[in-house]
Structures are given as C-alpha cells and as structure tokens.
Amino acid sequence: MVDKLNDDIGEEKRLQLWEMMLKLRLVEKKAYDLFLQNLIKGTSHLALGQEAIAGAFGVALKKGDYTFCTYRGHAHTLARGSSIEGVLGELMGRQCGLMKGKGGSMHLTDVDKGVMGSYAIIGAHLTIANGTALASKYNKTNEVSVCFFGDGTTNIGAFHEALNMAKIWNLPIVFVCENNLYMEYTPIHEVTAVEHPAADRAGAYDLDKIIVDGNDADEMLRTAEKAISKAREGKGPSLIEAKTYRHSGHSRADPGKYRPDEEVKDWMENKDPIKNYRSKLLDFNINEKIISEIEEKIKDQVEKATEISMASPIPEIKEIYTDVWANGGSEWHN
Amino acid sequence: MAQLTYRASVSLAIAQSMRKDQKVFFIGEDVGAAGGVFKATVGLLEEFGKERVMDAPISEQAILGAAMGAAMTGLRPIAEIMFSDFLAVCWDIVANQIAKTRYMSDGQINIPLVIRTANGGGSKFGAQHSQSLENWSMMIPGLKVVAPSCPSDVLGLMDSAVKDPDPVIFYEHKSLYAFKEEIEQTDLSIPIGEANTLHEGKDITIIGLALMAQRAKDAALILKDKHDINAKVIDLRSLVPLDLHTIKKSVIETGHVMTVEENPRLCGWGAEISSLISEHCFKNLKGPVTRVTTPHVPLPSADILEDNTIPSVELIVNEVIKKLKGE
C-alpha cells in the first residue's frame, strides 16, 4: 500500500515522471516500427523496459548539468529534453536529426540540452564524464555530471580508472550502472567475479554500495536526487547500481533467445516500470483521465515527430567533408 | 640572448600558455611534484599550484578522458602521456573519442586539447619506450600532429597548439631534450602547418621531422663541405596539417627527394609524402623518391643495435651520395 500522507514526491513530479517515461517508451517503440519498415538503417539498441532510470534522472537533473550515455542512449537523450524528431531524424539519417546524420543511433549528442554524447566503445565515457565534472570543479560552478552505462562496463579497465580518479579528486559526478542482467548475449553473473557488478566494486574506491530497483520509478527518482545533491554540494562521486531488464534483445540483430521465457515473461508482466507506475498513480488517487490525457498527448507528439522526420530531407553529400576541424572543413594539407 | 634547452623550453612553453589563459591546465603522471620524468615540467607546480598542475594516477585512459571532457566544456587542457608508447593503452580515447567526436556531433563539440608525449629513440630504452609513433596519429582523421625539432619550435608550436581549437598531439623527442639554442625572445608563436627550412640547397630535397630533421641538417653540412652537394632540408614541424606547398616548391627546383623517418618503414609518414610528390610533381622528378627509415623491426636496446637501427647522419650522407652519384 502507498503511504499517501508521507508522500515526498507529490503529484506534479509523478506526472512529470510518467510523461517522461511514456515518451521514452513510445519513441523506442516507434523506432522499432521504423526499423521494420526499413526507414532506419544500421543498428540500434533499444532501452525498452529500462525507462525508469533515464526518466528519473531526466526529472532530477537541472539545465546545465551534463549527461553521458552509451549506444543504448535514445532514452537518455530524450530524457534531457531533446526533440523527438531530433532523435528519430538522426536514426533515419535526415537533416532534422540531432547531428544531421553524421553520428547515427549510437552517437546521439545535443550539447544545448547537456547531452554530451552517446558512446559506443564500452567504458570510455566514464573517463570523459570525469572531465566535465573536473571542469565544473575547476570553474567553481555547480553543475553535476551523470554517466550511464551497462553492467558489462564494470569489467573493463576504464571503469576502474574512472572511479578511482573521480574519488581522489572528489568530482561532482554520478555513475549509474544499469544492470539489465546481460552483457550483450551473456548473463553478467557468468563473467563477473562478484554478485553485484557495480555495487560490489564500490568499496574498492571508498564509495557507498548503492543498489536500487531500477524499475521502480519513485525509488529511482529518490536515489537520483540524493546522489545529484551530494555531487552538487561538493561531497563527491556516487556509484549507483540500478537493477533492470531490457524487453528486447541487445541490438536490432538480436532476438534475445538466450533468455529463459519465464524470466522474460516475469519482467514484462510483473516488473514493467511503466505498467507498474500507472497502477501506482491510480493508488495515489491521481485521476485516470489526467493519466490518459498524457498518454494521448505523447502518442500525438510521437506521430507528429515521425511525420516531421519522414518529411525532412536527407543530408547533402558535401556534408561528408564538413566539421572534421573547428574551421568546418576536412583539409589536411595546403 | 639566452641559451635554452629543448627540455627547459617545454616547461617554459607550458608556463607561458598558462600565464596567458586561465583556461589552460596541465595533467599527467609525475608531472607536478616530480617535475616530470624527463624534468621537462620542473617549476610548474610551484608557479601554478595543484589546481592547475595535477598529478594523476597511472591511468592513461582516465587522464586523456578527463582532458577530453574538460576540453568539451571550453577549458584548454595540456595532458602528458609520459612515453608515446603508452598511447597504446589509451588509444581508444585518442583515436575513437578525441578524434571523432567533433565530426560525429556535427560540429557541436570542439576538443581544444594538447597531448604532449616523449617520443623516439636514442636512449637505449628498448622497444616499448623508444618508438616513433607520429605516423599512428597521422592516419586518424581529426588529429593534428606536431613534432618540434628545436627549442624555439617547442615554444612557438606549443603556443599555437594550446590556442588551436582542435586536438593536437605534440611529440617531443627524447633525444632532443638536451639540445640547446640561443633564443632572444621566448614568447614565440609559430603557426601549425608551416614547414621550416633548416638548410638551403638546390641539388636534393631532404624531408625530415624532429630528430630526423636535425640529423638531415647535420648531413647537409657534411654533404656541402665534403661532397659538394647542396641539400635543401625541410623540417616538416607537423604532419597534420602538412605543408605540401613548401615540399612541392623545393621538389620542382631539385627533382630529387629523400624522406628521413624514424618510424619503422611500413606506412611511415614518408610513404604518404612520396605518394603526394608523385601525384603533384611527377614531371619534375629525376628519379624515384628515396625513403630512409628505421627498418621494419621493433627497436632493439643495445648501443650498437639501436644506433644502427635508427637513421644516422652517416646513413643519410651515404644514401644521398648513392642517390645522386650512383656510388
């Protein structure tokens, strides 16, 4: 049962979170449809089922804060307020895309929104996120950097280098491990020395062991707000391990058959963050009409953004030669 | 007029950049309290303090990652990788992240950083602390590649590298740290992408970089004194951007070209330059471009082995005579 009298989150923020998560879910579903229609080429890594983590941070962060995510980053980009057509347009290789087709699904970047890039080589962005955090400290400003990554990342060297550096320099950063139980096609526990791939390593860097149900949007929001406040107050880095599950395979090419049917069914039916949050909103006596109106609004936004993306022109071929250098060009000799 | 070593010019160049711009900071292993393993950063910690001169753990990925992230926000970090060989352990950050992020982001992100590193042989350190790796970075779109051959170039090119809005890899040559030069004015700025002529001549064009440029100059002096050959020696100073204009102008005059490279032969920078010359100056050539390089072997350690692996002044002299006189 919910404790309505001691509600630390409140209706306004809950509805904000609901709208955010729905947007992430419906855009990912639309991305999948567009793949099936062959309007999106290349690969794509959907975050279906993991929306509560990016969603909670999207609600908790302020303008000016920096986020870094992985190739599974459509949701994290949208969560900072990037436009749906900017994301879908990039996936479709259109001029309305965030990077006009230069980066694609795995590299979504929107600096105006604090989206400092999506990184497709495991581990690298933890070290880079330290850099924006270092800049905030150096400039004595109070932005927070947040870095999202998967469970598989905890076994690469850069993870350990980054945590150590963040701790010794007391950087304003939050590392968020989205443990969806599988490192690509392999169960994470089969290839990791400890039970909790991120949290069990926290002690090695004098960090608290934080494990949260990443599919419980309220808990996720509380955890995010606490870690962000700590960083903003100059009290240093946090490492959060959020347990979650992806509803689809690792990437477009993967049907995810290596996962037991019962396990998938349990997560889809009983632990879906969006389905469960809808029930929770009703438990908090939020009017179902309001909840449904938000659903309709988001559906409409996604459809409109899809139309804009499909109508947007493809990039001009001359774009191949632009923006290698800060002068806008690609020349390397006189 | 003061005599300055290449080593002292490094710390002076960094200090001058840091004095001019509060956005410049310096990060590396053993760079602060220890003054650098080559003593090329002595005095910086004392002048600028721990906030701007940061001693980092042995974490090359974390060092370059932090430098990159800071640069993304508009700061201008100078990061040291102690030996260029160690670039291999952070090559992802260099080649995948620093080099490509501007392009992939459609120009949303600039990365104005300098990676300084001690490069090259001559110290008998063996195959993992002596490599000449400038060609590694040359082949990655998005990286500028600078390699100064003398103290004044260290000063002038560092100034430009720090001000450059793009990432610059700054290869300092270990065997040049003791090299001295009379310098009147230390606050120099030399544009990146302008080659320098170290010796004038119209019989042959010898193209070198860093230590090899100095050896080519020494060879040119011998060729002039003892063999009546006038060699033009071009010190490229940077591989990217490349001063093709200066190369072409000289090749049109001489018709004979030799590159002198410290990197192992395969895919060394001279191969690209040779290709450009045949493309742009084919009609002017009187013979094939000659490439003098380190052979395609890892660098050995013992005196006699290392000395006979890296191109020497004597080898350059002999190769020029062979080329021009068929001897």
Side-chain angles (χ1 to χ4, degrees):
Chain A
M1 282 303 292
V2 296
D3 181 359
K4 290 172 209 164
L5 294 176
N6 293 305
D7 182 13
D8 58 327
I9 294 177
E11 179 170 327
E12 191 186 340
K13 211 181 259 184
R14 279 216 173 77
L15 286 174
Q16 209 185 335
L17 191 48
W18 169 243
E19 181 169 332
M20 177 78 84
M21 289 199 295
L22 260 183
K23 182 161 77 174
L24 310 190
R25 170 72 51 98
L26 295 180
V27 174
E28 288 288 56
K29 281 192 161 177
K30 178 58 77 177
Y32 187 70
D33 290 346
L34 294 169
F35 273 127
L36 295 180
Q37 294 170 50
N38 206 27
L39 288 167
I40 294 176
K41 309 286 172 59
T43 188
S44 153
H45 307 76
L46 303 179
L48 289 168
Q50 306 185 186
E51 296 88 349
I53 304 168
F57 273 91
V59 169
L61 285 166
K62 287 186 183 167
K63 189 174 162 53
D65 290 335
Y66 300 108
T67 48
F68 293 76
C69 56
T70 68
Y71 50 85
R72 195 181 307 287
H74 309 161
H76 308 77
T77 302
L78 290 163
R80 295 307 308 282
S82 296
S83 74
I84 300 172
E85 59 268 27
V87 171
L88 288 179
E90 186 62 31
L91 268 56
M92 293 165 76
R94 304 298 171 111
Q95 284 191 25
C96 73
L98 288 175
M99 303 94 76
K100 302 196 190 82
K102 285 290 238 323
S105 163
M106 294 199 281
H107 299 291
L108 297 177
T109 305
D110 192 356
V111 170
D112 287 345
K113 304 287 184 191
V115 180
M116 302 307 280
S118 310
Y119 294 78
I121 310 288
I122 299 292
H125 67 309
L126 281 81
T127 71
I128 302 163
N130 272 343
T132 55
L134 179 64
S136 299
K137 194 179 168 193
Y138 187 88
N139 292 324
K140 299 186 170 57
T141 48
N142 70 349
E143 306 100 3
V144 172
S145 295
V146 175
C147 183
F148 302 96
F149 53 92
D151 41 277
T153 302
T154 64
N155 290 324
I156 203 164
F159 167 84
H160 299 271
E161 289 191 20
L163 287 177
N164 183 59
M165 188 172 274
K167 180 65 189 183
I168 59 169
W169 289 345
N170 196 42
L171 299 178
I173 187 164
V174 183
F175 295 104
V176 186
C177 174
E178 303 184 353
N179 180 0
N180 62 22
L181 313 185
Y182 289 83
M183 177 216 83
E184 300 204 7
Y185 298 50
T186 304
I188 190 66
H189 68 82
E190 287 183 12
V191 291
T192 307
V194 291
E195 185 186 356
H196 305 290
D200 286 347
R201 268 79 173 254
Y205 303 102
D206 195 22
L207 297 169
D208 293 338
K209 179 173 178 172
I210 303 172
I211 299 174
V212 59
D213 178 354
N215 283 12
D216 179 335
D218 278 354
E219 269 312 301
M220 204 55 236
L221 182 63
R222 289 186 188 103
T223 308
E225 285 181 338
K226 196 174 159 191
I228 291 167
S229 296
K230 181 183 166 190
R232 214 181 296 286
E233 289 160 14
K235 293 175 184 164
S238 298
L239 171 63
I240 294 167
E241 179 169 333
K243 299 277 189 202
T244 187
Y245 200 78
R246 57 173 145 74
H247 286 181
S248 47
H250 166 70
S251 68
R252 185 188 185 188
D254 170 29
K257 294 290 184 199
Y258 42 85
R259 304 187 301 186
D261 289 344
E262 281 306 307
E263 179 185 290
V264 177
K265 197 177 161 198
D266 182 40
W267 282 90
M268 299 279 280
E269 290 183 3
N270 303 321
K271 301 180 191 167
D272 177 15
I274 291 179
K275 198 170 144 188
N276 289 355
Y277 207 56
R278 197 180 199 283
S279 306
K280 187 176 250 183
L281 294 180
L282 293 173
D283 288 345
F284 272 97
N285 293 335
I286 295 175
N287 191 328
E288 182 156 23
K289 189 162 169 275
I290 297 173
I291 299 170
S292 304
E293 276 171 6
I294 292 174
E295 286 170 349
E296 290 310 311
K297 184 175 87 175
I298 298 295
K299 274 183 199 162
D300 191 48
Q301 281 178 6
V302 174
E303 288 310 315
K304 283 195 176 125
T306 306
E307 282 168 27
I308 292 170
S309 302
M310 287 169 75
S312 176
I314 56 174
E316 293 186 50
I317 288 174
K318 66 180 183 190
E319 287 292 328
I320 293 169
Y321 303 99
T322 64
D323 278 320
V324 172
W325 308 119
N327 69 8
S330 60
E331 290 297 326
W332 55 273
H333 66 70
N334 59 10
Chain B
M1 189 97 116
Q3 231 187 21
L4 197 67
T5 61
Y6 188 96
R7 182 192 322 279
S9 69
V10 171
S11 55
L12 181 58
I14 297 170
Q16 289 181 161
S17 289
M18 290 180 72
R19 284 172 204 150
K20 280 182 227 169
D21 187 352
Q22 187 67 29
K23 288 194 169 78
V24 182
F25 70 87
F26 180 43
I27 177 173
E29 297 160 13
D30 285 334
V31 297
V37 296
F38 296 101
K39 298 294 168 203
T41 59
V42 170
L44 295 175
L45 177 68
E46 291 73 11
E47 180 173 352
F48 299 101
K50 276 186 171 179
E51 284 186 3
R52 295 184 72 194
V53 178
M54 304 175 200
D55 274 321
I58 300 176
S59 302
E60 280 83 8
Q61 294 183 81
I63 290 169
L64 291 192
M68 174 179 167
M72 287 163 83
T73 73
L75 293 179
R76 290 180 176 267
I78 302 172
E80 176 179 309
I81 296 297
M82 193 184 284
F83 285 79
S84 63
D85 315 67
F86 306 169
L87 284 169
V89 299
C90 49
W91 200 238
D92 172 43
I93 309 293
V94 177
N96 287 323
Q97 313 302 343
I98 289 171
K100 295 179 173 61
T101 292
R102 174 165 227 290
Y103 188 81
M104 294 197 301
S105 72
D106 191 42
Q108 291 182 61
I109 294 172
N110 281 330
I111 303 178
L113 64 78
V114 178
I115 302 171
R116 292 179 46 236
T117 189
N119 191 51
S123 307
K124 281 71 187 174
F125 287 161
Q128 295 177 345
H129 287 70
S130 307
Q131 296 175 82
S132 264
L133 299 179
E134 54 275 10
N135 60 325
W136 286 17
S137 41
M138 182 190 191
M139 62 179 77
I140 310 290
L143 300 175
K144 293 184 177 173
V145 184
V146 173
S149 73
C150 59
S152 55
D153 282 7
V154 169
L155 292 167
L157 291 169
M158 180 67 82
D159 182 75
S160 295
V162 172
K163 288 176 183 162
D164 201 288
D166 293 309
V168 177
I169 306 204
F170 197 90
Y171 287 101
E172 293 161 18
H173 202 292
K174 290 193 280 292
S175 290
L176 290 172
Y177 277 127
F179 187 97
K180 285 178 190 159
E181 188 183 351
E182 293 289 334
I183 293 178
E184 287 180 41
Q185 150 88 359
T186 63
D187 192 8
L188 300 169
S189 194
I190 297 169
I192 297 173
E194 284 187 10
N196 190 25
T197 298
L198 298 185
H199 192 271
E200 287 292 353
K202 295 200 171 168
D203 295 332
I204 183 170
T205 306
I206 308 179
I207 303 169
L209 186 76
L211 179 66
M212 293 301 106
Q214 291 298 346
R215 288 194 177 169
K217 181 190 169 186
D218 291 345
L221 294 171
I222 295 169
L223 288 164
K224 188 176 180 181
D225 284 354
K226 298 189 178 163
H227 304 280
D228 197 28
I229 291 171
N230 292 302
K232 168 134 175 157
V233 176
I234 296 175
D235 174 3
L236 290 174
R237 283 178 169 159
S238 64
L239 296 175
V240 181
L242 181 73
D243 187 357
L244 182 59
H245 179 75
T246 296
I247 296 171
K248 275 170 24 186
K249 205 173 145 206
S250 175
V251 173
I252 288 165
E253 273 183 359
T254 65
H256 290 289
V257 194
M258 176 181 288
T259 64
V260 186
E261 306 159 55
E262 194 175 328
N263 50 227
R265 186 169 179 100
L266 300 193
C267 301
W269 55 260
E272 182 58 48
I273 286 176
S274 171
S275 157
L276 283 167
I277 290 169
S278 63
E279 204 175 307
H280 291 266
C281 312
F282 190 68
K283 287 184 204 150
N284 307 100
L285 286 175
K286 294 171 186 160
V289 174
T290 302
R291 290 182 60 208
V292 175
T293 73
T294 289
H296 207 67
V297 298
L299 213 62
S301 172
D303 279 343
I304 189 172
L305 297 179
E306 196 197 52
D307 291 347
N308 281 282
T309 305
I310 298 171
S312 61
V313 175
E314 189 187 7
L315 178 70
I316 299 166
V317 168
N318 291 341
E319 288 294 322
V320 170
I321 293 169
K322 197 159 74 181
K323 184 177 172 68
L324 296 187
K325 299 188 174 176
E327 287 169 14

